[in-house]
């Protein structure tokens, strides 16, 4: 029988914008949730919001350990050394990695997890801090059916849609593919809008036209009106993280011996000028230089 939300105990490791909001969403859904983070400030903030928080060396026994960490190296550290879940987690518990990680490393770590008597699920997410706070994330699942069924109450509480794409590591493969397309669409949509603006078409009108046709994407439908044209640039996802994901996508293609020249061009475009935008800037800022050049050209006419 699948476990109910009240019988599934969870520990969230990594209480940043994504992990912290996921932890609070799961707590509100009725789960027994404990959170931890290596940074005192993150623990203090979440404790002030009512989450049960412990230091990393005081993790409780849990049915599920949900990881929300920056890179595969951090995931490896949590599993192998500090706090060392491979040795500390109760046998039969589930490791769920919601980070955007290197698929090759994920598959290596999944083997170690299963050899230690634990279960693995990679479940990278999309939807940003807002989706994490509202329980409306998109999730890409890499693991076996039995593990997914076991944690499905948790997945339903976190996501608007979760898609099982294959075995361990598959979720991270598809996440990199998704982020590659996202990164490319930001550049191509900015260029299309800039071209239209230079020809005298209002950017909002251009987007309305694109969104009524086959060129539309989540970037043109969501990112441009929400963060680019509004100039809010507060999606919660940084340029540095997107650059990291693009490098991972390129490395995955290289490991497969698969030449993808357009992917390399997109990687190069995101790395050509690391000062505009900087790694700490919102990732939608990659459009700013493109749109600015169009405005300057219009002003010179």
């Amino acid at each position: 029988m699948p476990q109910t939300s009240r019988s599934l105990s969870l520990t969230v490791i990594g209480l940043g914008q994504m992990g912290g909001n996921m932890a609070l969403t799961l707590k509100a859904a009725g789960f027994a949730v404990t959170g931890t983070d290596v940074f005192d400030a993150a623990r203090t903030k979440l404790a002030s919001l009512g989450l049960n928080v412990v230091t990393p060396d005081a993790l409780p026994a849990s049915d599920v350990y949900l990881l929300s960490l920056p890179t595969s190296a951090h995931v490896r550290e949590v599993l192998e050394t500090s706090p060392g879940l491979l040795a500390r987690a109760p046998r039969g518990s589930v490791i769920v990695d919601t980070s955007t990680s290197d698929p090759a490393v994920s598959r290596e770590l999944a083997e170690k997890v299963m050899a230690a008597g634990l279960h693995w699920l990679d479940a990278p997410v999309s939807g940003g801090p807002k989706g994490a706070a509202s329980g409306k994330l998109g999730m890409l699942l890499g693991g076996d059916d039995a593990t997914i069924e076991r944690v499905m109450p948790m997945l339903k509480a976190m996501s608007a849609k979760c898609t099982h794409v294959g075995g361990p590591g598959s979720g991270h493969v598809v996440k990199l593919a998704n982020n590659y397309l996202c990164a490319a669409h930001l550049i191509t949509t900015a260029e299309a809008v800039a071209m239209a603006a230079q020809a005298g078409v209002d950017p909002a009108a251009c987007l309305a036209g694109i969104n009524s046709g086959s060129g539309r994407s989540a970037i043109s439908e969501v990112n441009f009106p929400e963060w680019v044209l509004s100039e809010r640039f507060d999606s919660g996802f940084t340029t540095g993280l997107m650059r990291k994901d693009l490098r991972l996508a390129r490395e995955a293609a290289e490991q497969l011996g698969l030449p993808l020249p357009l992917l390399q061009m997109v990687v190069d475009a995101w790395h050509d000028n690391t000062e505009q935008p900087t790694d700490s800037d919102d990732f939608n800022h990659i459009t700013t230089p493109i749109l600015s050049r169009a405005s300057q050209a219009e002003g010179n006419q």
Side-chain angles (χ1 to χ4, degrees):
M1 293 288 292
Q3 289 175 281
T4 66
S5 61
R6 293 188 182 277
S7 68
L8 199 63
S9 61
L10 314 175
T11 292
V12 178
I13 301 177
L15 299 176
Q17 291 193 77
M18 293 300 295
N21 281 331
M22 285 189 279
L24 293 173
T25 294
L26 292 167
K27 178 179 181 293
F31 292 87
V33 183
T34 299
T36 191
D37 196 287
V38 294
F39 294 107
D40 293 342
R43 298 198 305 271
T44 300
K45 177 182 177 181
L46 270 295
S48 72
L49 296 174
L51 187 71
N52 179 43
V53 173
V54 299
T55 58
D57 60 355
L59 293 186
S62 296
D63 297 310
V64 179
Y65 294 87
L66 183 75
L67 313 185
S68 180
L69 302 167
T71 68
S72 300
H74 294 94
V75 175
R76 182 187 296 279
E77 180 181 1
V78 164
L79 290 175
E80 296 182 349
T81 57
S82 179
L85 292 181
L86 291 179
R88 295 184 54 171
R91 303 309 88 175
S93 58
V94 183
I95 308 297
V96 179
D97 179 16
T98 67
S99 317
T100 301
S101 298
D102 183 333
V105 174
S106 294
R107 285 169 171 152
E108 174 201 341
L109 293 176
E111 290 182 3
K112 292 183 177 182
V113 163
M114 291 183 282
L118 310 173
H119 302 281
W120 171 274
L121 183 67
D122 44 276
V125 297
S126 59
K130 183 177 179 180
S134 62
K136 301 298 183 182
L137 292 168
M139 304 184 77
L140 298 166
L141 309 180
D144 61 68
D145 290 331
T147 300
I148 292 172
E149 181 181 3
R150 181 180 173 191
V151 301
M152 186 55 71
M154 178 191 77
L155 299 177
K156 287 183 175 179
M158 297 169 61
S159 66
K161 184 175 184 180
C162 52
T163 306
H164 186 193
V165 295
S170 299
H172 288 140
V173 170
V174 178
K175 177 62 173 175
L176 293 181
N178 176 83
N179 282 15
Y180 160 42
L181 289 174
C182 176
H185 290 164
L186 274 166
I187 292 173
T188 56
T189 303
E191 290 186 348
V193 169
M195 178 181 69
Q198 184 70 9
V201 178
D202 179 75
C206 174
L207 286 170
I210 290 171
N211 290 335
S212 70
S214 59
R216 68 187 182 276
S217 67
I219 296 301
S220 63
E221 293 182 327
V222 179
N223 291 52
F224 261 74
E226 185 80 7
W227 295 299
V228 178
L229 296 189
S230 69
E231 298 185 345
R232 283 176 37 218
F233 296 109
D234 59 355
S235 71
F237 189 68
T238 68
T239 299
L241 288 174
M242 179 58 88
R243 285 172 174 149
K244 180 264 295 184
D245 293 349
L246 285 169
R247 293 192 298 270
L248 287 175
R250 178 182 60 190
E251 290 165 10
E254 289 173 349
Q255 290 167 4
L256 295 167
L258 184 63
L260 296 178
L262 185 55
L263 169 59
Q264 183 60 57
M265 292 174 65
V266 173
V267 174
D268 290 342
W270 277 77
H271 288 79
D272 278 346
N273 186 349
T274 56
E275 294 302 316
Q276 192 180 17
T278 67
D279 279 351
S280 61
D281 285 334
D282 185 275
F283 82 116
N284 291 287
H285 263 302
I286 195 69
T287 63
T288 301
I290 301 169
L291 298 175
S292 295
R293 287 195 295 271
S295 296
Q296 292 168 1
E298 184 178 4
N300 291 333
Q301 289 182 347

